[in-house]
Amino acid sequence: MAMTPFQQSVKAVKNGEDPFVQAGLLYDQLTNRERLSLLDGDTPFYELMGQMTRGYNHVPYVHGAVDRLGIPGTRFVDGPRGCVTGQGTAFPVSMARGATWDVDLEERVGEAIGAEVRAVGGNFFGGVCINLPRHPAWGRIQETYGEDTYLLGEFGAALTRGIQRYAMACAKHYALNSMENKRFEVDVTIDEASLHEQYLAHFKRVADEGVAAIMSAYNSVNGEWAGQNKQLLTEVLRDQWGWDGITVSDFIWGLRDAATSLNNGLDLEEPAAQLRARDLPKQLAEGDTSWEAVRRAGLRLLAAQLRSYAYRVDAPEDPAVLASREHRALAREVAGRAMTLLKNEPVDGTPVLPLPADLATIAAIGRLSVAENMGDAGSSNVHPPSHVTPLEGIRAAYPGARILLVDDDDPQVAAKAAAEADVAIVFAGFDKHDEGEYVGGDTMTNPDLLALFPPAPEGFDLSGAMAGSVGEDDAVIMTEAGSGGDRSHLGLRAVEEELVRAVAAANPRTVITLVGAGAIMMENWRGQVPAILMMWYAGMEGGRALADVLTGAVNPSGRLPFSIPTSEEHLPAFDRDWTSVTYDRWHGQRLLDRLGVEAAYPLGWGLSYTTYRLDGAEVIGSVGAGAQRILTVRATVANTGERDGIEVVQVYGRGGEHAEETQLLGFATVNVPAGASGSVEVPVRLTQLGSWNPVARRVELDDGPVVLEVSFYAHDARAITLTV
């Protein structure tokens, strides 16, 4: 069969031709109607809304396909928990993966997800979520990797590398998206220095990695909606960074004016034929935009497809790839690596964890012990063919033990069961009703948002379509208070705190296993329990991975990707009903440092079943200059305990204009056998020590010394200090 024009251009790009030149050849063969069709979704708006009654992203969403020339268009599959279309592997949420501090592991996750996206007919993965969570109450905090811009950038780059072996990767939500309930209304004001140094640095890192696409956010930034914000979409991405990928809108409400969005640098409206299909022809005729702007966006969209198809690996569309044995094993490995041991004190001279192999009676307490709790029910929801609960994992690990299950909120019954058991394990935290993606009922009556829709067919139930689901308890769009959204409080429910205290009083060997994604306030009870383990939303193999860690089959190596304060007064101000807010550079560990207060658990904190010592550190190499300079630090770690383990070496630094601030600059994991030593080379990027130069329009590093602290967590007293 003869090759299509698109296939011919792919072959030319493989042979070294410029993808934009080939994109121009394809574009010139299109009719004007086809050229406009490149710029939005292929499915009519209300037809796609009707599809949502069968479930969000039930099939890939197609944009800009031109069958006549063989142009596939972008075929969107969401994430970041896994492949949303079909029955994919449900990996631990991104925040859990950030707790591994292992970018090689995240790249492997990206490869697995990319293969599954291809298996369901997708070629575009919309799940590289790298938003910075300014406040831990943000409802979608589970979809990102941590509080620090450096951590976000490195993990986003790793996922991008893995995905793009199979499909185009899309980073989101650009930018300043860290509120959920008012995301369609809020205007975020920020100064240029804070914007570039803290809130855009990770997007630049992923853009430099070669991410194919960047998705704009819903919110407004400095008075203009992100989906049509010239500063963000053109001045920063194109003029300052020189990035040549494609910009895409968030879904349905991602832009407010078709011509303005096109003029200001948004290439693609997702996911349907909506605002642009309705308005662009008239706006072109009236001179509000131009065919040159249409061509500019069209060339980027075609070039991105050509580049992806030329360099991606060959892979069949084989459904057997989804949730395959290999991918399930990877999900279990990642979940085990993510679990973070916050506290593990001795009882009768022996730490509570790991649990002995000869336990006769185990009390499993809490509603989450039996819950299928892999994260929220929004656009990141993955539908795996199976799921292992914590209770199932414990039963499999201790088949001969008697399990006393208390899965309701009854502190007295829980205490009675705990008193009869060798150990009590309390499962406490959150689920999709407490945090997650949210579209409030007022959204569907907001006249500004409804004005973005084409005229509805007679009798069409838009609210029913937007609440599309695969089951009553699995709604894609949450519309009731208490269902997803920004967290209303940062502690456990009052009855759970009472339950924790009652169980701990009844059994000195009590383990608190926390389920969630962001910081959980623990001051009301953490001093009363000997062991605390952060389980996260651990994915489809979470129950087995939990048992691996509890029994010691896996030595915990997770480290907190954020800090946990001792008081909510040590956090930035936050109101989930704000429609305007000003951001600055202060949040997380750096805000605690500025306030001069200690964290309950600092950034990078985590314990192990063994002990480590940092025996040495030195700078052994340097490439680049200024803020782009990358140092190589070699660190030697000794395992002084009796179990093999994985430690995370973290490098923090001070210097430049913000020399009073300690910034994360690098990290790497190292496997160290019991009683042995191992060395690891840590890449250290100095970008975060730079400051924004408004004249040069870039981040620059001042002359002068840089102080590095090589350690196991922020402000580790055992850190080795180096001056460069």
Side-chain angles (χ1 to χ4, degrees), residues 451-479:
L452 306 177
F453 300 164
E458 186 176 352
F460 187 86
D461 179 12
L462 182 61
S463 61
M466 292 306 299
S469 67
V470 293
E472 182 179 349
D473 294 327
D474 195 23
V476 169
I477 303 297
M478 299 301 184
T479 58

Side-chain angles (χ1 to χ4, degrees), residues 595-670:
L595 295 173
V597 297
E598 290 189 9
Y601 298 106
L603 175 64
W605 174 268
L607 301 174
S608 169
Y609 296 153
T610 189
T611 52
Y612 301 99
R613 184 182 66 239
L614 192 60
D615 276 350
E618 59 180 336
V619 177
I620 63 170
S622 173
V623 296
Q628 303 308 310
R629 190 175 181 188
I630 303 175
L631 308 177
T632 300
V633 171
R634 178 185 292 149
T636 301
V637 177
N639 183 336
T640 56
E642 299 179 353
R643 290 175 179 264
D644 299 347
I646 298 173
E647 181 58 289
V648 180
V649 176
Q650 302 163 36
V651 180
Y652 298 83
R654 300 185 303 278
E657 181 178 319
H658 305 293
E660 77 283 2
E661 301 176 33
T662 299
Q663 304 263 14
L664 177 66
L665 304 179
F667 58 87
T669 59
V670 56

Side-chain angles (χ1 to χ4, degrees), residues 105-125:
L105 186 61
E106 182 65 3
E107 189 170 335
R108 289 169 55 200
V109 170
E111 287 190 71
I113 295 174
E116 294 193 3
V117 167
R118 283 280 291 281
V120 298
N123 66 10
F124 186 102
F125 179 66

Side-chain angles (χ1 to χ4, degrees), residues 103-172:
V103 293
D104 293 334
L105 186 61
E106 182 65 3
E107 189 170 335
R108 289 169 55 200
V109 170
E111 287 190 71
I113 295 174
E116 294 193 3
V117 167
R118 283 280 291 281
V120 298
N123 66 10
F124 186 102
F125 179 66
V128 184
C129 184
I130 51 172
N131 290 116
L132 190 155
R134 171 181 172 271
H135 192 282
W138 178 39
R140 293 177 73 174
I141 197 169
Q142 62 192 263
E143 294 187 45
T144 193
Y145 292 105
E147 72 174 32
D148 189 273
T149 182
Y150 183 82
L151 197 65
L152 293 172
E154 294 306 307
F155 268 85
L159 187 65
T160 294
R161 289 192 297 271
I163 292 292
Q164 291 195 164
R165 293 190 178 92
Y166 294 90
M168 291 172 274
C170 177
K172 63 183 186 184

Side-chain angles (χ1 to χ4, degrees), residues 166-348:
Y166 294 90
M168 291 172 274
C170 177
K172 63 183 186 184
H173 307 82
Y174 179 77
L176 300 166
N177 176 49
S178 58
M179 292 176 62
E180 185 62 14
N181 287 33
K182 292 297 182 181
R183 57 183 168 156
F184 305 115
E185 301 175 56
V186 67
D187 178 54
V188 183
T189 303
I190 191 169
D191 64 276
E192 274 202 308
S194 298
L195 176 68
H196 286 274
E197 295 169 17
Q198 292 297 324
Y199 285 88
L200 295 188
H202 40 286
F203 280 100
K204 185 178 188 303
R205 173 70 183 91
V206 176
D208 290 344
E209 190 64 38
V211 72
I214 290 178
M215 177 187 286
S216 59
Y218 286 123
N219 53 275
S220 175
V221 176
N222 290 333
E224 180 59 277
W225 300 107
Q228 54 194 52
N229 190 303
K230 185 177 181 179
Q231 180 194 17
L232 292 176
L233 298 174
T234 296
E235 294 172 5
V236 173
L237 282 179
R238 310 299 184 186
D239 301 340
Q240 294 171 21
W241 296 356
W243 180 73
D244 65 357
I246 57 177
T247 52
V248 306
S249 76
D250 208 337
F251 281 19
I252 303 175
W253 300 290
L255 56 117
R256 303 303 172 100
D257 182 81
T260 303
S261 71
L262 185 61
N263 293 338
N264 289 351
L266 185 76
D267 298 324
L268 178 64
E269 177 186 15
E270 295 185 316
Q274 186 185 335
L275 201 59
R276 287 182 170 180
R278 187 189 73 182
D279 295 344
L280 265 187
K282 181 181 179 182
Q283 291 175 323
L284 281 163
E286 294 177 350
D288 296 327
T289 189
S290 66
W291 281 103
E292 180 54 37
V294 173
R295 177 182 175 86
R296 179 185 62 202
L299 291 184
R300 290 173 183 156
L301 289 159
L302 292 171
Q305 294 172 57
L306 290 171
R307 189 152 41 197
S308 177
Y309 276 68
Y311 299 119
R312 68 184 192 175
V313 301
D314 291 331
E317 292 186 10
D318 182 3
V321 173
L322 274 70
S324 64
R325 178 179 298 179
E326 293 78 11
H327 291 180
R328 289 170 187 256
L330 179 59
R332 181 174 180 173
E333 178 186 355
V334 174
R337 289 283 306 278
M339 292 188 191
T340 306
L341 186 60
L342 300 178
K343 185 177 182 180
N344 191 25
E345 294 182 346
V347 174
D348 296 333

Side-chain angles (χ1 to χ4, degrees), residues 676-694:
S677 295
S679 64
V680 63
E681 294 185 0
V682 185
V684 175
R685 296 178 181 269
L686 299 186
T687 307
Q688 286 313 116
L689 299 183
S691 55
W692 175 247
N693 184 328

